[in-house]
Amino acid sequence: MATVENLFAAIENRISCYSLTNKSPISDERIHQIINDTVKHTPSASNVQSTRAVVLVKHEHEKLWDIGDAQVKKTMPEPAYHALAPRIQGFKAAYGTVLWFEDQAALDTLKTKNPGIQHVIPDWSQHTNGMHQFIAWTALELEGLGANLQHYSFMADFSKEVLEAWNLPRTWVLHSQLVFGQPADGLKRSRERTYAPLEERVKFIGS
Ligand SMILES: Cc1cc2nc3c(=O)[nH]c(=O)nc-3n(C[C@H](O)[C@H](O)[C@H](O)COP(=O)(O)O)c2cc1C
């Protein structure tokens, strides 16, 4: 039975794990099922279901980070490329990546049906996409994988090349890349997380 304690235990277990290998403790079928369940059960504004996921593993995953490396080399000043290149090689050394997209065609339908809320639909699209990322990240780490979340889609050509490389619909807008693999030395944070005081972050009113 689902309990709040189990939910928060899962949430606390999720971390950014960067030291990943090209192995997986679970089968590709299990990974596929986790992403299917994430996409099926995560809510979206007016149930628009605009989020799309593409799971790349093994050689296809490596191909993604070769594209990432080439794009950073092309786009960034040389010192920035030299700083980022080892990180990108770290992502490439992992087992897989989930690409998270929003389908602009689905969002356009929602805009047409609800012209009065057109201006907030881009925000809501980001919200639902983030919920998907968080749920998949939490679920994969419960199964013994480590994962970290990347945003290389700030380079327009990276997104364009991704769509071309896997022949994806041109209405899909790339939001983030969730890199995953077997943790090299257990599921450990690279640095301890600090917590700002909750009294400053949460107000409880009317009790
Ligand atoms: C919206 C969002 C964007 C993030 N973008 C990146 C990113 O581009 N690269 C990265 O390495 N980590 C990224 N992170 C991970 C955060 O830095 C990390 O979650 C935070 O420092 C807390 O550490 P933890 O994940 O280990 O709990 C992102 C996290 C969130 C929620």
Side-chain angles (χ1 to χ4, degrees), residues 14-18 87 91 133 137 148-152 189-191 193 195:
R14 185 222 51 82
I15 62 164
S16 295
C17 184
Y18 295 94
R87 283 178 69 90
F91 306 145
Q133 296 163 31
W137 189 352
N148 61 77
L149 186 64
Q150 300 306 318
H151 292 88
Y152 280 73
R189 286 184 204 278
S190 53
R191 66 190 134 121
R193 186 168 168 196
Y195 296 90

Side-chain angles (χ1 to χ4, degrees), residues 1-10:
M1 196 188 79
T3 65
V4 170
E5 285 72 22
N6 285 344
L7 175 65
F8 282 104

